[in-house]
Coordinates of all heavy atoms in Angstrom, one line a residue:
G1 N 83.2 85.0 106.5 CA 83.8 83.6 106.7 C 85.3 83.6 106.5 O 85.8 82.5 106.5
K2 N 85.9 84.7 106.3 CA 87.4 84.7 106.1 C 88.1 85.6 107.1 O 87.5 86.4 107.8 CB 87.7 85.2 104.7 CG 87.1 84.3 103.6 CD 87.5 84.8 102.2 CE 87.0 84.0 101.1 NZ 87.4 84.5 99.7
E3 N 89.4 85.4 107.2 CA 90.2 86.1 108.1 C 90.5 87.5 107.5 O 90.5 87.7 106.3 CB 91.4 85.4 108.5 CG 91.3 84.1 109.2 CD 92.6 83.4 109.6 OE1 93.6 83.9 109.2 OE2 92.5 82.4 110.4
R4 N 90.8 88.4 108.4 CA 91.2 89.8 108.0 C 92.5 89.7 107.2 O 93.4 89.0 107.5 CB 91.4 90.7 109.2 CG 91.7 92.1 108.8 CD 92.0 92.9 110.1 NE 93.1 92.4 110.8 CZ 93.6 92.9 112.0 NH1 93.0 93.9 112.6 NH2 94.7 92.4 112.5
E5 N 92.6 90.5 106.1 CA 93.7 90.4 105.2 C 94.2 91.9 105.0 O 93.5 92.8 104.9 CB 93.5 89.8 103.9 CG 92.5 90.5 103.0 CD 92.4 89.9 101.6 OE1 93.3 89.1 101.2 OE2 91.4 90.1 100.9
F6 N 95.5 91.9 104.8 CA 96.1 93.2 104.5 C 95.8 93.7 103.1 O 95.8 92.9 102.1 CB 97.7 93.1 104.6 CG 98.5 94.2 104.1 CD1 98.7 95.4 104.8 CD2 99.1 94.2 102.8 CE1 99.4 96.4 104.3 CE2 99.8 95.2 102.3 CZ 100.0 96.3 103.1
V7 N 95.5 95.0 102.9 CA 95.2 95.6 101.7 C 96.3 96.5 101.2 O 96.9 96.3 100.1 CB 93.9 96.3 101.7 CG1 93.6 97.0 100.3 CG2 92.7 95.4 102.0
C8 N 96.7 97.5 102.0 CA 97.7 98.4 101.7 C 98.1 99.2 103.0 O 97.5 99.2 104.0 CB 97.2 99.4 100.6 SG 95.7 100.3 101.0
A9 N 99.2 99.9 102.9 CA 99.7 100.7 104.0 C 100.5 102.0 103.5 O 100.9 102.0 102.3 CB 100.6 99.9 104.8
I10 N 100.6 103.0 104.3 CA 101.3 104.1 104.0 C 102.0 104.6 105.3 O 101.5 104.5 106.3 CB 100.3 105.3 103.4 CG1 101.1 106.4 103.0 CG2 99.4 105.6 104.6 CD1 100.2 107.4 102.1
N11 N 103.3 105.1 105.0 CA 104.0 105.5 106.2 C 103.6 106.9 106.7 O 102.7 107.5 106.1 CB 105.5 105.5 106.0 CG 106.0 106.6 105.0 OD1 105.2 107.2 104.3 ND2 107.3 106.8 105.0
S12 N 104.1 107.4 107.8 CA 103.6 108.6 108.4 C 103.7 109.8 107.5 O 102.8 110.7 107.6 CB 104.4 108.8 109.8 OG 105.7 108.9 109.6
S13 N 104.7 109.9 106.7 CA 104.9 111.1 105.9 C 104.1 111.0 104.6 O 103.9 112.0 103.9 CB 106.4 111.3 105.6 OG 106.9 110.3 104.7
G14 N 103.8 109.7 104.2 CA 103.1 109.5 102.9 C 104.0 109.2 101.8 O 103.6 109.1 100.7
A15 N 105.4 109.2 102.1 CA 106.4 109.0 101.1 C 106.5 107.5 100.6 O 107.0 107.3 99.5 CB 107.7 109.4 101.6
R16 N 106.0 106.6 101.4 CA 106.1 105.2 101.0 C 104.8 104.5 101.1 O 104.0 104.8 102.1 CB 107.1 104.5 101.9 CG 108.6 105.0 101.7 CD 109.5 104.3 102.6 NE 110.9 104.7 102.3 CZ 111.9 104.2 103.0 NH1 111.8 103.3 103.9 NH2 113.2 104.7 102.7
T17 N 104.5 103.6 100.2 CA 103.2 102.8 100.2 C 103.5 101.4 99.9 O 104.6 101.1 99.3 CB 102.2 103.4 99.2 OG1 102.8 103.4 97.9 CG2 101.8 104.8 99.6
W18 N 102.6 100.5 100.3 CA 102.7 99.1 100.1 C 101.4 98.6 99.7 O 100.4 99.1 100.3 CB 103.3 98.4 101.4 CG 104.6 98.8 101.8 CD1 105.8 98.1 101.5 CD2 105.0 99.9 102.6 NE1 106.8 98.8 102.1 CE2 106.4 99.9 102.8 CE3 104.2 100.9 103.3 CZ2 107.0 100.8 103.6 CZ3 104.9 101.8 104.0 CH2 106.3 101.8 104.2
Y19 N 101.3 97.6 98.8 CA 100.0 97.1 98.4 C 100.1 95.6 98.3 O 101.1 95.0 97.9 CB 99.7 97.6 97.0 CG 99.4 99.1 97.0 CD1 100.5 100.0 96.6 CD2 98.2 99.6 97.2 CE1 100.3 101.4 96.6 CE2 97.9 101.0 97.1 CZ 99.0 101.8 96.8 OH 98.8 103.2 96.8
A20 N 99.0 95.0 98.6 CA 98.8 93.6 98.4 C 98.8 93.3 96.9 O 98.2 94.2 96.1 CB 97.5 93.0 99.1
D21 N 99.3 92.2 96.4 CA 99.3 91.9 95.0 C 97.9 91.9 94.4 O 97.7 92.3 93.2 CB 99.9 90.5 94.7 CG 101.4 90.5 95.0 OD1 102.0 91.6 95.0 OD2 102.0 89.4 95.2
S22 N 96.9 91.6 95.2 CA 95.5 91.5 94.7 C 94.9 92.9 94.3 O 93.9 92.9 93.6 CB 94.6 90.8 95.7 OG 94.6 91.5 96.9
V23 N 95.5 93.9 94.8 CA 94.9 95.3 94.5 C 95.9 96.2 93.9 O 95.5 97.3 93.5 CB 94.5 95.9 95.9 CG1 93.5 95.0 96.6 CG2 95.7 96.3 96.8
K24 N 97.1 95.8 93.6 CA 98.1 96.6 92.9 C 97.5 97.0 91.5 O 97.0 96.2 90.8 CB 99.4 95.9 92.7 CG 100.2 95.7 94.0 CD 101.5 95.1 93.7 CE 102.4 95.0 94.9 NZ 103.7 94.3 94.7
G25 N 97.7 98.3 91.2 CA 97.2 98.9 90.0 C 95.8 99.3 90.0 O 95.3 100.0 89.1
R26 N 95.1 98.9 91.0 CA 93.7 99.3 91.1 C 93.3 100.2 92.3 O 92.5 101.0 92.2 CB 92.8 98.0 91.3 CG 92.9 97.0 90.1 CD 91.9 95.9 90.2 NE 92.1 95.1 91.4 CZ 91.2 94.9 92.3 NH1 90.0 95.6 92.2 NH2 91.4 94.2 93.4
F27 N 94.0 99.9 93.5 CA 93.8 100.7 94.6 C 94.9 101.7 94.9 O 96.1 101.4 94.6 CB 93.6 99.8 95.9 CG 92.4 99.0 95.9 CD1 91.5 98.9 94.8 CD2 92.1 98.2 97.0 CE1 90.4 98.2 94.9 CE2 91.0 97.5 97.1 CZ 90.1 97.4 96.0
T28 N 94.6 102.8 95.5 CA 95.6 103.8 95.9 C 95.4 104.3 97.3 O 94.3 104.8 97.5 CB 95.7 105.0 94.9 OG1 95.9 104.5 93.5 CG2 96.8 106.0 95.3
I29 N 96.4 104.2 98.1 CA 96.3 104.8 99.4 C 97.0 106.1 99.4 O 98.0 106.3 98.9 CB 96.9 103.8 100.5 CG1 96.6 104.4 101.9 CG2 98.4 103.6 100.3 CD1 97.0 103.4 103.0
S30 N 96.4 107.1 100.1 CA 97.0 108.4 100.3 C 96.5 109.0 101.6 O 95.7 108.4 102.3 CB 96.5 109.3 99.1 OG 95.1 109.4 99.1
R31 N 97.1 110.1 101.9 CA 96.8 110.7 103.2 C 96.9 112.2 103.1 O 97.7 112.8 102.3 CB 97.7 110.2 104.3 CG 99.1 110.5 104.2 CD 100.0 109.7 105.2 NE 99.5 109.9 106.6 CZ 99.7 109.1 107.6 NH1 100.4 108.0 107.4 NH2 99.3 109.4 108.8
D32 N 96.2 112.9 103.9 CA 96.2 114.3 104.1 C 96.3 114.6 105.6 O 95.3 114.6 106.3 CB 95.0 115.0 103.5 CG 95.1 116.5 103.5 OD1 95.9 117.1 104.3 OD2 94.4 117.2 102.7
N33 N 97.6 114.7 106.1 CA 97.8 114.9 107.5 C 97.2 116.2 108.0 O 96.8 116.2 109.2 CB 99.3 114.8 107.8 CG 99.9 113.4 107.8 OD1 99.1 112.5 107.8 ND2 101.2 113.3 107.6
A34 N 97.1 117.2 107.2 CA 96.5 118.4 107.7 C 95.0 118.2 108.0 O 94.4 118.9 108.8 CB 96.6 119.5 106.6
E35 N 94.4 117.3 107.2 CA 92.9 116.9 107.5 C 92.8 115.7 108.4 O 91.6 115.4 108.6 CB 92.3 116.7 106.1 CG 92.2 118.0 105.3 CD 91.4 119.0 105.9 OE1 90.4 118.7 106.5 OE2 91.7 120.2 105.6
N36 N 93.9 115.2 108.8 CA 93.8 113.9 109.7 C 93.0 112.8 109.0 O 92.2 112.2 109.7 CB 93.2 114.3 111.0 CG 94.2 114.6 112.1 OD1 95.4 114.3 111.9 ND2 93.8 115.2 113.2
T37 N 93.2 112.7 107.8 CA 92.5 111.7 107.0 C 93.4 110.9 106.1 O 94.3 111.3 105.5 CB 91.4 112.4 106.1 OG1 90.6 113.2 107.0 CG2 90.5 111.4 105.4
V38 N 93.1 109.6 106.0 CA 93.7 108.6 105.1 C 92.6 108.1 104.2 O 91.5 107.9 104.5 CB 94.4 107.5 105.9 CG1 95.0 106.4 104.8 CG2 95.4 108.0 106.8
Y39 N 93.0 108.0 102.9 CA 92.1 107.6 101.8 C 92.4 106.3 101.2 O 93.6 105.9 101.1 CB 91.9 108.7 100.8 CG 91.6 110.0 101.3 CD1 92.5 111.0 101.5 CD2 90.2 110.3 101.5 CE1 92.2 112.2 102.0 CE2 89.9 111.6 102.0 CZ 90.8 112.6 102.2 OH 90.5 113.8 102.7
L40 N 91.4 105.6 100.7 CA 91.6 104.4 99.9 C 90.8 104.6 98.6 O 89.6 104.5 98.7 CB 91.3 103.1 100.6 CG 91.4 101.8 99.7 CD1 92.9 101.6 99.4 CD2 90.9 100.6 100.5
Q41 N 91.5 104.9 97.5 CA 90.8 105.0 96.2 C 90.7 103.7 95.6 O 91.8 103.1 95.3 CB 91.5 106.0 95.3 CG 90.9 106.2 93.9 CD 89.5 106.8 94.0 OE1 89.3 107.8 94.7 NE2 88.5 106.2 93.3
M42 N 89.5 103.1 95.4 CA 89.3 101.8 94.8 C 88.8 102.0 93.4 O 87.7 102.5 93.2 CB 88.3 101.0 95.6 CG 88.7 101.0 97.1 SD 87.4 100.3 98.2 CE 87.2 98.7 97.5
N43 N 89.5 101.6 92.4 CA 89.2 101.6 91.0 C 89.1 100.2 90.4 O 89.7 99.3 90.9 CB 90.1 102.4 90.2 CG 90.2 103.9 90.5 OD1 89.2 104.5 91.0 ND2 91.4 104.5 90.4
N44 N 88.2 100.1 89.4 CA 88.0 98.8 88.7 C 87.8 97.7 89.8 O 88.5 96.7 89.8 CB 89.3 98.5 87.9 CG 89.1 97.3 87.0 OD1 87.9 96.9 86.6 ND2 90.2 96.6 86.6
V45 N 86.8 97.9 90.6 CA 86.5 96.9 91.7 C 86.1 95.6 91.1 O 85.4 95.5 90.1 CB 85.6 97.5 92.7 CG1 86.1 98.7 93.4 CG2 84.3 97.8 92.0
K46 N 86.3 94.5 91.9 CA 85.9 93.2 91.5 C 85.1 92.6 92.6 O 85.1 93.1 93.8 CB 87.2 92.4 91.3 CG 88.1 92.8 90.3 CD 89.4 92.0 90.2 CE 90.3 92.5 89.2 NZ 91.6 91.7 89.1
P47 N 84.3 91.5 92.3 CA 83.5 90.9 93.3 C 84.3 90.5 94.6 O 83.8 90.6 95.7 CB 82.9 89.7 92.6 CG 82.8 90.1 91.2 CD 84.1 90.9 91.0
E48 N 85.5 90.1 94.4 CA 86.3 89.7 95.5 C 86.8 90.7 96.5 O 87.4 90.6 97.5 CB 87.5 88.9 95.1 CG 88.4 89.5 94.0 CD 88.0 89.1 92.6 OE1 86.9 88.9 92.3 OE2 89.0 88.9 91.8

């Protein structure tokens, strides 16, 4: 019932990241370009 919202982002090299205030300190975005994979580590998750 809600619109899509931004969570986090990472630039092509992985040197820079951005996070929505709602997930700062809890979520971590990372990437492994050799594996062609981007990850989202979610810690201390909340119902929202």
